[in-house]
Amino acid sequence: MRQLPEADRDAIRIAQDPNFPRWLEQITATGGCAHPIHLSGLTTTLDGETGEILRRYDTRDEPGERLLVRCRNRRATICPACSRLHAGDTYHLVRAGLLGGKNIPATVRNRPRLFVTLTAPSFGAVHRDSERCRPRRGGGACVHGRPLSCGVVHPPGAAVVGQPLCANCYDYAAHVLWHAHASKLWDRFVIDVRRRLASSVGLVQSRLADHARLSFARVAEYQKRAAVHVHSVIRLDGPNGPDDEPPAWGTAKLLADAVRAAAGRVLVLTPYSPAVGELALRWGVQVDVRSLRADGDGPDDDAVAAYVAKYVTKGASETGAGLDHRVTTWDDIDTAPVSDHVRALMRACWRLGGLTEFEPLRLRAWAHTLGYRGHILTKSRAYSTTYAALRAERAHHVGHADISDTVTERRWRYIGSGHTPGAALMAAGIADDIALNREVARDEAGVGD
């Protein structure tokens, strides 16, 4: 036994425990969660009229006197099991807003709907892949003596792709400040789209809500140059949201024109700083607007939902743009397993975060995400269902919903998280088995990812 690895010895110890079958049930119920939350407490269900105890659950009857629940982390690099569940919820959330379902009428598929991509502006020339990188007639060099051109065809996975041609020329301060204001840029973009829709049909913006409503879901994605760009599904409804048809003037073309105009017009000014001055932040010049059509002439609705769902589970380290955990010191940045370009962005966050004028941006706290502090996925209230509703529906499906005409008393407290080495080994095996079963079921049903 002493010659076995620690994880194997611990797994044998767990398997020999008399309560092992119940422990295995708990791990399976969490889907093989890699970092489960340990709770202690009890739940008592009483008859609403008589006060009779109908059901009682107490963790004192559980192995280790604790209950294991999912960590619900969306990042596949942190917990593959929970990230798969989150991806499934995201898929249904986005799909419902495109095709209906989950209390959203199927008529939304006939509304004006767009798939929009907004990019970050250029902060300096970077290496590109799949074609000649940076061909430049006459070559030339920057003020730091670095070549301004690159005639190499880099393969898509090359480490140099996304890295600046000259790190000294690259505007790292503007890059991280753009990230810090990206959510504000999006908010102003949505406001401007509404304003342009109203003005194009002769309405004042305050009256647009009486005629139409703009609904959206958006996801943020890091490009290879470690700059965020935004994918969004935008839908035009009537004044009461998905249950209302938009007005006759509400066409996909009108909506697309408003989106393009707003993307080129929106502007956010940074606070003035003696270090960098006052920066005018805008969206990049590359704006992609595609109409989603019910007749199939355009991007496929299911493919759009699957793309969004796939991306929200990616961790920062998986995209090569930061870390999945916060850094607390300058030394943490020096030792982080990231590229030199990403390290320079994290250092820029740290330096700018120490300035009084940028203190509200909390750049040091968000240095691990390169200054971006928005949610990966956001949506408007009326776009579709919510994560909470999807989780409640799943709980009801497996029989965990509250019984009507009863009173439930709960007392719970947090007592820990994670697995011992042997438990982690078993949980990973259970998660792999569940994932394999899903793949087999999809193959038999003839359904793609």
Side-chain angles (χ1 to χ4, degrees):
M1 283 285 290
R2 293 179 180 177
Q3 297 178 350
L4 293 176
E6 180 185 3
D8 291 343
R9 295 200 305 270
D10 189 47
I12 293 173
R13 176 189 63 79
I14 294 172
Q16 291 176 340
D17 191 295
N19 292 320
F20 174 70
R22 174 55 188 159
W23 178 89
L24 196 61
E25 287 178 5
Q26 283 203 34
I27 297 296
T28 304
T30 67
C33 173
H35 297 276
I37 307 300
H38 299 201
L39 299 178
S40 174
L42 56 89
T43 298
T44 305
T45 302
L46 309 173
D47 186 286
E49 295 183 359
T50 65
E52 177 187 359
I53 296 178
L54 301 179
R55 186 172 61 192
R56 183 181 178 87
Y57 171 82
D58 196 323
T59 55
R60 286 181 294 184
D61 301 325
E62 296 286 5
E65 298 187 358
R66 61 188 61 196
L67 175 68
L68 306 185
V69 297
R70 286 180 177 269
C71 69
R72 291 185 180 178
N73 196 299
R74 68 169 180 82
R75 295 177 174 88
T77 51
I78 302 297
C79 182
C82 289
S83 74
R84 280 192 290 268
L85 191 66
H86 188 79
D89 286 347
T90 301
Y91 173 79
H92 288 291
L93 184 151
V94 176
R95 188 180 186 276
L98 290 170
L99 298 174
K102 310 298 180 184
N103 297 322
I104 303 297
T107 51
V108 295
R109 70 180 62 198
N110 299 314
R111 308 276 171 82
R113 300 167 306 150
L114 305 176
F115 184 55
V116 177
T117 299
L118 303 175
T119 62
S122 174
F123 305 107
V126 298
H127 291 278
R128 299 178 296 193
D129 60 11
S130 302
E131 57 182 349
R132 288 187 66 195
C133 177
R134 290 281 179 178
R136 182 185 178 95
R137 184 175 299 175
C142 70
V143 295
H144 304 102
R146 304 277 174 75
L148 292 173
S149 63
C150 176
V152 179
V153 179
H154 302 297
V160 73
V161 174
Q163 307 301 301
L165 271 66
C166 176
N168 293 324
C169 290
Y170 197 88
D171 195 345
Y172 285 102
H175 189 141
V176 300
L177 288 173
W178 191 92
H179 274 179
H181 291 84
S183 296
K184 183 177 289 188
L185 268 171
W186 172 261
D187 292 341
R188 293 193 180 180
F189 165 75
V190 172
I191 292 171
D192 201 67
V193 170
R194 294 192 181 105
R195 181 182 296 119
R196 290 183 175 274
L197 282 173
S199 63
S200 64
V201 294
L203 295 171
V204 294
Q205 184 183 358
S206 61
R207 305 300 298 175
L208 178 66
D210 297 333
H211 301 267
R213 185 167 186 166
L214 198 67
S215 298
F216 66 85
R218 73 166 178 96
V219 62
E221 178 182 2
Y222 285 91
Q223 298 171 295
K224 293 178 181 177
R225 59 185 173 125
V228 164
H229 65 177
V230 172
H231 300 295
S232 178
V233 176
I234 300 178
R235 190 184 71 226
L236 191 64
D237 298 320
N240 294 318
D243 294 323
D244 255 0
E245 291 296 326
W249 51 258
T251 64
K253 182 181 183 306
L254 186 74
L255 181 58
D257 290 343
V259 165
R260 291 190 183 95
R265 183 177 181 275
V266 169
L267 170 70
V268 172
L269 298 176
T270 66
Y272 174 79
S273 168
V276 297
E278 182 183 60
L279 303 183
L281 306 177
R282 301 178 182 274
W283 294 108
V285 295
Q286 294 180 330
V287 178
D288 187 40
V289 181
R290 305 185 189 185
S291 179
L292 298 171
R293 300 178 182 174
D295 58 9
D297 186 14
D300 181 77
D301 294 335
D302 284 319
V304 169
Y307 174 81
V308 172
K310 181 178 180 180
Y311 186 76
V312 296
T313 63
K314 290 185 178 181
S317 58
E318 189 178 2
T319 61
L323 301 171
D324 289 327
H325 57 85
R326 292 187 173 182
V327 295
T328 56
T329 67
W330 181 270
D331 291 339
D332 289 343
I333 298 175
D334 287 342
T335 58
V338 296
S339 67
D340 290 341
H341 177 54
V342 171
R343 197 184 319 279
L345 288 166
M346 294 171 70
R347 287 171 176 164
C349 285
W350 198 266
R351 285 193 296 267
L352 294 174
L355 301 178
T356 303
E357 56 269 26
F358 294 132
E359 186 175 348
L361 300 179
R362 303 182 64 229
L363 288 172
R364 288 189 173 182
W366 295 99
H368 64 298
T369 57
L370 316 184
Y372 180 72
R373 54 200 180 106
H375 293 289
I376 290 298
L377 176 75
T378 57
K379 73 174 191 69
S380 60
R381 186 185 302 273
Y383 174 77
S384 69
T385 186
T386 64
Y387 283 121
L390 291 171
R391 289 165 184 157
E393 185 177 341
R394 182 163 54 248
H396 184 271
H397 176 72
V398 298
H400 291 167
D402 291 336
I403 305 172
S404 58
D405 300 325
T406 60
V407 176
T408 302
E409 297 177 354
R410 300 179 176 90
R411 292 203 302 268
W412 294 96
R413 64 186 180 92
Y414 169 84
I415 58 173
S417 64
H419 284 303
T420 62
L425 194 65
M426 293 183 181
I430 290 172
D432 290 342
D433 288 344
I434 293 174
L436 179 60
N437 289 340
R438 285 200 184 102
E439 291 179 7
V440 171
R442 277 200 303 265
D443 290 342
E444 290 181 351
V447 180
D449 289 344

